[in-house]
Amino acid sequence: MNLTLLWLFLHITLLFAAVAVAFGGGFLMRVAFMTGQVGPIRGVGMVVGRVGPLIPILFLSGGLFGLITAISFGTNLLSPWLVIAYVLFAIAMYIGVVNNRAFGEHLGQIVRTAPDGPVTPEIVELFNNRREVAVSIIDYVILAALIFDMVVKPFS
């Protein structure tokens, strides 16, 4: 097997896993919130809290294999589509490390002490916070833009 294809396979596989864990956890958390009950939020939160530390490892290792792949293919590392990818990747990592992590930690503190039953006003406020919703939308738009960039390779 061509080693370059192995790097490409690892790049794609690790980033698929990273997206599945990061965005899947956030999606399931939103679905749990929509039940209106603390129990499902707590349950999903416990799982997401355990796999959360894997998210930056998966993204960074996937990105590293992407660089190795680009070098192996002889791709110009300053090609416009790669520069776009670098910028979008950096923004997405920042959102994940700063915003999403803080959201998860704050939610974890709230649900640890919240009684079982209907969601508390504090939980509702956290999920419906305009800034949180806007950042989540931006995160999904960046993900879509990254996928578009990787497939179409604009300006190349």
Side-chain angles (χ1 to χ4, degrees):
M1 173 194 254
N2 182 340
L3 207 52
T4 301
L5 293 179
L6 176 62
W7 304 144
L8 179 61
F9 171 77
L10 290 171
H11 167 62
I12 293 169
T13 301
L14 287 165
L15 287 177
F16 263 94
V19 168
V21 173
F23 287 83
F27 176 76
L28 290 176
M29 188 62 71
R30 179 62 66 175
V31 171
F33 169 71
M34 291 167 60
T35 68
Q37 297 294 310
V38 172
I41 297 170
R42 187 179 292 124
V44 171
M46 289 170 62
V47 173
V48 171
R50 290 204 179 242
V51 298
L54 295 175
I55 295 170
I57 295 167
L58 289 168
F59 273 114
L60 290 173
S61 57
L64 179 63
F65 278 110
L67 279 175
I68 293 169
T69 301
I71 292 166
S72 294
F73 274 120
T75 305
N76 176 1
L77 297 180
L78 294 177
S79 294
W81 68 275
L82 275 177
V83 172
I84 292 168
Y86 303 148
V87 171
L88 292 172
F89 185 83
I91 294 168
M93 288 297 290
Y94 178 83
I95 289 171
V97 169
V98 173
N99 189 80
N100 298 347
R101 181 175 171 214
F103 176 90
E105 288 174 352
H106 187 199
L107 180 62
Q109 292 169 351
I110 294 170
V111 298
R112 272 196 261 326
T113 59
D116 285 334
V119 293
T120 65
E122 191 176 18
I123 293 171
V124 172
E125 181 183 327
L126 182 62
F127 274 90
N128 291 339
N129 178 290
R130 284 182 185 222
R131 183 184 176 286
E132 290 297 334
V133 171
V135 171
S136 290
I137 291 168
I138 290 167
D139 215 9
Y140 278 98
V141 168
I142 289 171
L143 175 62
L146 270 166
I147 294 169
F148 177 86
D149 185 58
M150 290 287 111
V151 172
V152 176
K153 296 175 179 39
F155 312 111
S156 59

